[in-house]
Amino acid sequence: MKALLGRQMRCAAVLVCATLGAVSGLAAQSWQHIGDVSKVEKLADGVELTSGTAKVRVTAVGDGIFRVRVAASGTFPKDFSWAVIAPPAPPPIGIEDGKSEVRMTAGSAIVIVQKSPLLVRFTDLQGNILLADEPTLPMAWDGERIHVWKTMPADENYYGLGDKAGPMNRRNRAFTNWNTDEFGWQESTDPLYKTIPFFIGLRAGRAYGLFFDNTWRSVFDFGKESPDYFSFGAEGGELNYYFFSGPTPKKVVSDYTTLVGRSPLPPLWSLGYQQSRYSYYPEARAREIVETMRSKKIPLDAIYFDIDYQQDYAPFTVNRQYFPNFEKMIADFRSIGVHTILITDLHIKKNPSAGYAPYDSGIQNDNFVKNADGGVFVGSVWPGDSVFPDFTLTRARDWWGGLYKDFVAMGVSGFWNDMNEPSVFLRADKTMPLSVRHRLDDGTSLDHRAIHNVFGMENVRATYDGLRKLQGDERPFVLTRAAYSGAQRYAATWTGDNSSTWNHLKMSTPMLLSMGISGFPLVGDDIGGFAGSPPSDLLTRWFEVGALNPIYRDHTAKDTADQEPWVSGPEQEAVRRRYIELRYKLMPYLYTAIEEAARTGIPLMRPLFLEYPQLTQFYGDNRDFIFGADFFVAPVVTEMTDVETVQLPPGDWYDFWSSEKHVSAAALRLHPRLEEMPLYVRAGAIVPMQSVVQSTSQTPDGPLQLRVYPGDDCRGTLYQDDGHTFAYQRGELLRVNFSCHAAANGVSIQSVVEKNSFQPWWKAEEVILYGAAAAPRAVTVDGKGITSSRYDAASHSVTFVIPGGAHGWSAQIDY
């Protein structure tokens, strides 16, 4: 959202409160709670229970994964989900229909349905309750509204729901899900841009997950109404939720992303540094930015173009007055390793009889959203009067995807779908009227209440699928602002229109972490803040932590100060360059972790409780995070005046900068200088690194670097492929596993090639072994002595080179 909207009316929050205020109130007299079970019918995958006119289905969809559906009228709607793509194969189930309850076992968990009244609880195999209905508040409905209440243990914590502002732990707060263009959002602002109705419950090291698959306006109340229970519900749609029994947070995230899909492996260039603002124009200014980055040797992989590159803000056009040589500019940038990303908002300028092909072809094929009376809905956005593709129709998505043909032919590499909540100007609710109709492929239609929260996801689905057809074997890159659960299958995202304040820097990490554990690992924020102009030290601190975020994009609004890395003078520029370079040095490690996220759902950027769920002291840590599996990051997110305490996780850790070893979960008191961000490596990590490059298209000089930090569970992994095509899906990849073992008289290191169907860039591997108290007596590789090893007393490290590309080897360092 651009700065203009900050001056628009802001009564949407009032409307939300008026709509949802009665949803979760115990005192509400209109709720019809489900009653006693009168009939039990066994199904192939579970049970169906009758209670009055209502029916409840409880089914197993995986090992320890259950689904609960309620049909108040007794008739279930067509089983359809925008989010769920492939439920895991259910294990064999056991059903016991007793006098007072029905018990169903599915793998590692049990669901028990009490019959009078109908109450659901989930347990482990030992009978420990994981999640249970509040006994005095069975599931209920009131007309279209639906709601569920669950007991809330005093020591249970709740995480997830996507990009909600404030602390990661959602306990004692209530949230609304209604995708909202919220320029200038702050810590207490809700709702925001995304609807991800999934959360993790965590208590004393044991985790479970719940996904409420409902696209209507919904609410989650984690104890704000009562300290005894939490609840969730929606204005309409089906009461339909999935329970994941865990037991670890990682298992919950993995199971959830199996259900709703995972982020595809992005092109490598999209993990490099990205430069953006609203807006780079004219062409000379854009060229100046790229040329300055290269002349100052600040690595860069992508430049963004916001709405001013378009003619009259009409999507899929080019303003030739501003960009007379648009195609050549894109080609020139590409030739030096800089990829172009264009904004393509989902509204289409209403511009009949003007030769504007997107509008004409959309009208001709009846592809736009309609009012209840059948006329095409028209709303005001950046181009003025605009129409909106009906993305719930396959034909409309196919048409939209085809609109990218010319831009792809020009060599544009990525696309940015903004304003897709959908945002509509000049309306108090900032979106489409709830009465507009969205058509489905089967000939039926739904009003906007049911589609609003998935509209942005279907927008990027159309973009991604269109690029898959147009780009051949090239991996698409799409960035979205709005999302529903599953949108990660099509796009990366960011946290929207943040502000250039220390508080927003502080809020960014918990938001990114929450997105990652909510199934969305490819996420970033606007480095430096979108609204306003950051002071120089704030911008520098943001560059530091941003280097270890999944998406690394510097972006700001119109009428703000320049925010490129070199502003504020040479001292600040040098620090910012240092951290951009750090990101490129870590690219082999980063890309390996991103591939893990695409394969398993476990994010690159991890809250401490994801790795250390047994340690309750980390349940409230909103500043620190784990980068991949092996780095502990303690970013500076406040104006430093006092000493800051950093509590390292269990085990031994090495200071990444000094190589100093800290033993047994030390608590450090630090006062980092401007150029310092506390960064530590797990003792037991083997970290692949490379030399600095100016873009990911440049081949690194020298060998692959392996930094070995001896310790318990000593291991590392390296993943490589061509970085831009889908050849990896055909097996053209490299995967190498490293391990080490430390003894009193030496250290052994092994490299085992698991998959070797891709030829990497390096011709040798440089091993740097840390923690060496003295020069080694001997270094051997595959039984042959090496005489060229070097010992550095300052860093307590031993360095030696193993010639050859990726291959298995064994090294021994003797003291």
Side-chain angles (χ1 to χ4, degrees):
M1 189 58 209
K2 311 303 185 288
L4 171 65
L5 293 191
R7 300 189 290 271
Q8 292 199 345
M9 291 181 288
R10 298 194 171 279
C11 63
V14 176
L15 295 175
V16 169
C17 291
T19 303
L20 290 175
V23 168
S24 60
L26 176 60
Q29 299 300 308
S30 56
W31 288 114
Q32 181 177 344
H33 294 273
I34 200 161
D36 296 348
V37 174
S38 59
K39 180 183 177 182
V40 177
E41 179 184 353
K42 293 184 179 180
L43 308 173
D45 55 354
V47 293
E48 181 172 289
L49 308 109
T50 301
S51 175
T53 60
K55 290 186 181 294
V56 178
R57 286 181 186 167
V58 182
T59 56
V61 297
D63 184 345
I65 306 172
F66 298 98
R67 182 185 185 191
V68 178
R69 299 179 71 193
V70 178
S73 66
T75 302
F76 287 94
K78 177 183 177 182
D79 193 6
F80 173 79
S81 173
W82 299 102
V84 175
I85 56 168
I93 60 174
I95 300 174
E96 302 173 35
D97 183 8
K99 181 178 180 180
S100 62
E101 63 186 27
V102 179
R103 298 170 60 92
M104 179 168 62
T105 303
S108 59
I110 301 170
V111 59
I112 302 168
V113 182
Q114 177 182 300
K115 291 185 176 181
S116 182
L118 194 160
L119 296 169
V120 181
R121 69 181 185 272
F122 304 92
T123 77
D124 61 20
L125 296 181
Q126 289 72 44
N128 299 305
I129 295 176
L130 306 177
L131 179 65
D133 286 348
E134 165 60 31
T136 63
L137 292 168
M139 297 179 290
W141 54 89
D142 173 23
E144 290 186 304
R145 298 186 303 159
I146 53 177
H147 213 75
V148 179
W149 293 262
K150 300 287 188 182
T151 58
M152 188 173 68
D155 59 345
E156 191 157 274
N157 306 273
Y158 305 97
Y159 306 93
L161 299 185
D163 66 343
K164 300 296 186 182
M168 276 189 292
N169 193 347
R170 311 306 186 191
R171 192 180 175 103
N172 299 323
R173 291 181 291 159
F175 302 90
T176 297
N177 288 318
W178 184 253
N179 293 358
T180 302
D181 177 357
E182 197 59 68
F183 174 83
W185 59 267
Q186 295 300 327
E187 193 166 21
S188 60
T189 304
D190 188 68
L192 292 175
Y193 306 95
K194 301 169 186 68
T195 291
I196 303 182
F198 163 80
F199 71 88
I200 297 171
L202 178 61
R203 177 164 57 106
R206 176 71 198 238
Y208 68 83
L210 190 145
F211 171 47
F212 179 38
D213 192 7
N214 183 298
T215 64
W216 291 56
R217 191 192 307 260
S218 61
V219 64
F220 285 75
D221 184 330
F222 293 106
K224 187 173 182 179
E225 177 182 84
S226 168
D228 299 323
Y229 55 79
F230 71 86
S231 67
F232 59 91
E235 285 187 342
E238 187 178 1
L239 204 169
N240 172 30
Y241 70 87
Y242 293 82
F243 172 81
F244 307 90
S245 64
T248 66
K250 278 188 176 180
K251 181 67 162 56
V252 172
V253 173
S254 179
D255 285 346
Y256 166 65
T257 55
T258 296
L259 188 76
V260 301
R262 295 172 178 144
S263 294
L265 188 60
L268 180 63
W269 64 263
S270 68
L271 301 176
Y273 176 69
Q274 304 177 0
Q275 188 64 53
S276 180
R277 80 165 292 131
Y278 169 42
S279 282
Y280 284 133
Y281 73 96
E283 182 178 321
R285 176 58 174 162
R287 288 182 177 274
E288 177 188 10
I289 293 297
V290 172
E291 289 166 2
T292 303
M293 294 290 290
R294 287 291 181 256
S295 66
K296 289 180 171 290
K297 295 192 181 303
I298 301 174
L300 175 69
D301 261 278
I303 184 170
Y304 282 69
F305 289 89
D306 212 314
I307 59 174
D308 291 292
Y309 82 88
Q310 301 167 138
Q311 183 66 48
D312 300 322
Y313 302 144
F316 301 101
T317 65
V318 176
N319 184 323
R320 294 294 177 176
Q321 180 179 354
Y322 288 164
F323 294 92
N325 304 295
F326 192 65
E327 294 87 345
K328 187 174 188 305
M329 178 192 71
I330 292 168
D332 289 346
F333 289 170
R334 192 69 174 264
S335 70
I336 56 172
V338 177
H339 296 258
T340 300
I341 299 173
L342 302 182
I343 199 168
T344 50
D345 291 338
L346 52 66
H347 45 260
I348 296 294
K349 180 180 175 66
K350 184 183 178 184
N351 198 15
S353 306
Y356 179 42
Y359 178 80
D360 294 342
S361 60
I363 287 289
Q364 181 180 352
N365 293 292
D366 190 22
N367 283 336
F368 296 125
V369 172
K370 295 187 175 182
N371 293 308
D373 63 7
V376 173
F377 168 69
V378 178
S380 178
V381 206
W382 295 115
D385 283 351
S386 302
V387 293
F388 298 79
D390 210 351
F391 290 112
T392 50
L393 287 170
T394 298
R395 75 163 189 269
R397 293 195 301 272
D398 290 344
W399 161 80
W400 172 268
L403 295 177
Y404 289 93
K405 181 179 179 180
D406 290 346
F407 283 155
V408 170
M410 293 177 189
V412 177
S413 299
F415 297 93
W416 172 18
N417 290 163
D418 199 359
M419 307 291 289
N420 55 355
E421 288 71 32
S423 178
V424 180
F425 296 173
L426 308 180
R427 290 183 52 84
D429 59 5
K430 300 190 280 191
T431 194
M432 294 179 180
L434 300 182
S435 59
V436 302
R437 306 297 298 183
H438 300 270
R439 293 162 289 170
L440 306 178
D441 291 339
D442 63 5
T444 62
S445 66
L446 295 168
D447 65 34
H448 195 62
R449 296 176 302 164
I451 297 302
H452 174 88
N453 283 334
V454 294
F455 199 73
M457 178 168 84
E458 293 308 291
N459 167 216
V460 293
R461 176 185 180 185
T463 302
Y464 183 86
D465 289 348
L467 296 177
R468 286 291 286 120
K469 295 173 183 176
L470 293 170
Q471 291 186 172
D473 206 29
E474 292 292 314
R475 301 177 212 167
F477 177 74
V478 183
L479 187 71
T480 184
R481 190 171 67 179
Y484 182 71
S485 292
Q488 63 269 13
R489 304 191 299 258
Y490 314 113
T493 191
W494 86 107
T495 59
D497 298 334
N498 60 357
S499 299
S500 300
T501 66
W502 285 99
N503 192 44
H504 269 259
L505 171 60
K506 184 178 180 179
M507 284 193 289
S508 67
T509 290
M511 291 184 77
L512 299 181
L513 294 172
S514 294
M515 285 298 298
I517 62 171
S518 298
F520 226 123
L522 292 177
V523 63
D525 62 355
D526 288 344
I527 299 298
F530 180 74
S533 300
S536 60
D537 55 343
L538 170 59
L539 180 57
T540 296
R541 289 300 191 190
W542 221 319
F543 266 101
E544 290 175 1
V545 65
L548 302 182
N549 293 167
I551 300 295
Y552 193 21
R553 181 180 77 145
D554 175 18
H555 183 57
T556 189
K558 272 191 175 179
D559 302 319
T560 64
D562 287 348
Q563 207 161 283
E564 293 75 31
W566 55 82
V567 303
S568 317
E571 178 185 357
Q572 304 279 355
E573 176 187 330
V575 178
R576 296 164 190 169
R577 180 190 292 106
R578 180 192 189 199
Y579 281 87
I580 296 173
E581 290 180 344
L582 171 65
R583 184 178 184 88
Y584 282 83
K585 290 178 181 178
L586 288 171
M587 194 61 70
Y589 175 86
L590 191 159
Y591 192 56
T592 298
I594 288 291
E595 189 274 337
E596 180 187 1
R599 183 167 37 85
T600 69
I602 305 303
L604 164 73
M605 194 174 173
R606 307 171 185 180
L608 269 73
F609 68 76
L610 196 69
E611 293 289 340
Y612 305 97
Q614 299 291 339
L615 301 181
T616 58
Q617 65 265 35
F618 291 138
Y619 287 8
D621 191 334
N622 292 287
R623 182 196 63 190
D624 308 324
F625 61 95
I626 303 295
F627 176 67
D630 296 320
F631 283 84
F632 171 77
V633 189
V636 178
V637 294
T638 58
E639 292 182 274
M640 292 295 293
T641 56
D642 300 317
V643 171
E644 193 165 83
T645 299
V646 173
Q647 176 61 60
L648 294 175
D652 300 341
W653 292 82
Y654 290 83
D655 186 305
F656 177 78
W657 307 112
S658 69
S659 306
E660 179 185 0
K661 187 176 182 179
H662 299 280
V663 179
S664 300
L668 309 176
R669 290 179 60 77
L670 307 174
H671 197 298
R673 298 188 302 272
L674 178 65
E675 68 273 16
E676 295 175 333
M677 179 178 69
L679 182 62
Y680 303 89
V681 189
R682 180 183 66 88
I686 300 178
V687 180
M689 295 178 61
Q690 66 181 36
S691 60
V692 173
V693 292
Q694 293 304 298
S695 76
T696 57
S697 62
Q698 179 184 346
T699 301
D701 291 331
L704 174 75
Q705 187 181 99
L706 291 177
R707 295 196 176 191
V708 181
Y709 299 88
D712 296 337
D713 190 22
C714 187
R715 55 185 166 78
T717 300
L718 173 65
Y719 173 87
Q720 290 274 296
D721 58 29
D722 66 20
H724 64 99
T725 76
F726 286 90
Y728 72 94
Q729 294 183 346
R730 301 185 291 271
E732 297 179 25
L733 58 91
L734 171 71
R735 194 185 307 278
V736 186
N737 297 315
F738 305 103
S739 62
C740 80
H741 176 74
N745 60 347
V747 177
S748 61
I749 309 169
Q750 289 77 38
S751 169
V752 177
V753 177
E754 178 184 328
K755 180 76 172 179
N756 191 14
S757 299
F758 172 74
Q759 186 66 41
W761 52 267
W762 63 87
K763 305 301 181 185
E765 297 173 35
E766 181 182 64
V767 178
I768 305 176
L769 174 67
Y770 290 92
R777 178 172 54 82
V779 177
T780 59
V781 175
D782 295 332
K784 298 180 180 179
I786 291 180
T787 59
S788 58
S789 65
R790 305 187 309 275
Y791 175 68
D792 185 328
S795 63
H796 299 288
S797 65
V798 177
T799 301
F800 57 94
V801 175
I802 300 174
H807 65 285
W809 47 262
S810 178
Q812 179 68 39
I813 299 90
D814 294 319
Y815 298 112

